[in-house]
Amino acid sequence: MDFLQALGGVLSLLSVSLVGVVLDRCGWIGAETRRLVPRIVTCIALPPYLFHSILTTLGHEDLRHFLTGSLIPCISIVATFAVSILVGRLCRVERRHFGLFCTTFSTSSAVFVGIPLCGALLGAKAIPFALLYYFANAAFFWTIGCFCIAWDARDSERQRSFSLQRALRSLLSPPLLGFAAGLAAVLLSIEPPAFIMASCAIIGQMTTPLALLYIGFSLSLAVSSRYFSRDLIIAACGRLLVCPAVTALVVLLFRPDPLVGQTFVLQAALPAVLQAAILSAHHKTDPEFGSLIITMTTICCVVTIPIVMSLF
């Protein structure tokens, strides 16, 4: 992808995010809005958006190629996680957020930010492959990543930190169910009525603007004295540079279709997964570090994503 084209695409999305910053600074955004917007995007807008995208971009004959491509994100995420452990040990990352460091180093906001961004920069045909990365990313985060964040907790907290039931419930999220419903419809050659498809398209159009506004709300809270801590900078570099580099190497190894490779690399270059800070707060480890890595990677990706996409 041309650098100027990628930069223009990211800047256009950033301009919408800045509206969220202005709204927050003007006092229009309260705590309830910060909780409501992610719920609307995740539970209301994304499922029909994914369902509609699958049915309009993926044919029955494409399923085999689609499913075999899932090996690439799985291998790249596991390889990045191994690199994060090595880097964390060599750089002596603080023990209280070592698991959080490795998890945010390895996993991205592949659904909340990634799917709208892939659709905006690469087009609707990239959505199915963005979903493949999302599934691998979500499966890793809610199993190994969740365990690593819980392991950061004090010994008294560890016995109640990890819940397989909670991890499975989070993995089987509304976006994933919308994705599965779309795949099932394609597999069974089901054609929903036109009014259902039209409704899905209308509701799904809320996804990108609401997601970008929420990023703006988050950017508005970015001021902190720990903003440039050593561990934070290392984690941000890993998230935005090392992870896409590892993914690009795996893509070169498997040599998929160019659009597939670009989608995976773009998904790997996204900000840290939003739920990391929530889990860190729940397990009473280092939620400030989680919030700051999300904010820092969201800001810096405006520069790194165009560079990564122009190099690949």
Side-chain angles (χ1 to χ4, degrees), residues 68-86:
T68 55
S70 62
L71 287 174
I72 298 175
C74 290
I75 293 173
S76 64
I77 292 173
V78 171
T80 304
F81 181 69
V83 172
S84 72
I85 294 176
L86 178 62

Side-chain angles (χ1 to χ4, degrees), residues 10-260:
V10 173
L11 288 178
S12 67
L13 300 178
L14 178 63
S15 64
V16 181
S17 298
L18 292 178
V19 176
V21 175
V22 173
L23 292 177
D24 184 69
R25 294 296 182 179
C26 291
W28 286 25
I29 308 302
E32 183 60 31
T33 304
R34 295 182 191 279
R35 291 191 296 267
L36 180 62
V37 171
R39 290 179 183 176
I40 292 177
V41 173
T42 303
C43 300
I44 304 299
L46 265 174
Y49 176 76
L50 301 179
F51 180 78
H52 182 271
S53 297
I54 288 289
L55 285 173
T56 54
T57 60
L58 192 64
H60 190 281
E61 64 280 359
D62 299 324
L63 281 179
R64 179 183 299 179
H65 176 68
F66 177 73
L67 295 175
T68 55
S70 62
L71 287 174
I72 298 175
C74 290
I75 293 173
S76 64
I77 292 173
V78 171
T80 304
F81 181 69
V83 172
S84 72
I85 294 176
L86 178 62
V87 171
R89 296 295 186 190
L90 291 176
C91 297
R92 300 182 181 275
V93 170
E94 292 185 42
R95 180 66 190 86
R96 62 188 177 124
H97 54 229
F98 188 87
L100 180 61
F101 170 90
C102 294
T103 301
T104 53
F105 193 111
S106 310
T107 54
S108 67
S109 187
V111 61
F112 188 67
V113 178
I115 291 176
L117 189 64
C118 286
L121 293 181
L122 300 177
K125 291 184 178 180
I127 296 299
F129 307 107
L131 290 168
L132 271 182
Y133 193 97
Y134 157 65
F135 180 80
N137 189 82
F140 184 90
F141 178 82
W142 290 110
T143 52
I144 297 175
C146 182
F147 179 81
C148 289
I149 294 174
W151 193 254
D152 289 338
R154 297 187 301 271
D155 291 341
S156 60
E157 299 289 334
R158 282 182 183 158
Q159 59 181 353
R160 64 175 180 83
S161 289
F162 182 74
S163 169
L164 180 61
Q165 181 181 1
R166 184 169 61 249
L168 291 176
R169 186 170 62 247
S170 300
L171 179 59
L172 297 175
S173 59
L176 187 59
L177 295 177
F179 168 57
L183 277 183
V186 172
L187 183 63
L188 299 175
S189 301
I190 297 175
E191 295 186 10
F195 77 91
I196 292 181
M197 293 297 290
S199 299
C200 289
I202 293 171
I203 296 175
Q205 287 173 358
M206 297 191 300
T207 302
T208 300
L210 285 179
L212 294 174
L213 287 176
Y214 181 78
I215 292 174
F217 305 159
S218 300
L219 294 180
S220 181
L221 302 177
V223 178
S224 173
S225 60
R226 288 183 56 202
Y227 202 69
F228 293 105
S229 70
R230 184 180 63 91
D231 290 356
L232 189 68
I233 294 175
I234 296 172
C237 290
R239 169 90 302 276
L240 299 177
L241 300 175
V242 177
C243 188
V246 172
T247 304
L249 290 175
V250 177
V251 167
L252 290 175
L253 179 64
F254 283 84
R255 298 186 180 277
D257 182 83
L259 178 63
V260 178

Side-chain angles (χ1 to χ4, degrees), residues 10 14 215 218-223 227 240 271 292-304:
V10 173
L14 178 63
I215 292 174
S218 300
L219 294 180
S220 181
L221 302 177
V223 178
Y227 202 69
L240 299 177
L292 289 175
I293 187 61
I294 292 168
T295 303
M296 186 175 185
T297 53
T298 300
I299 294 173
C300 293
C301 77
V302 176
V303 176
T304 58

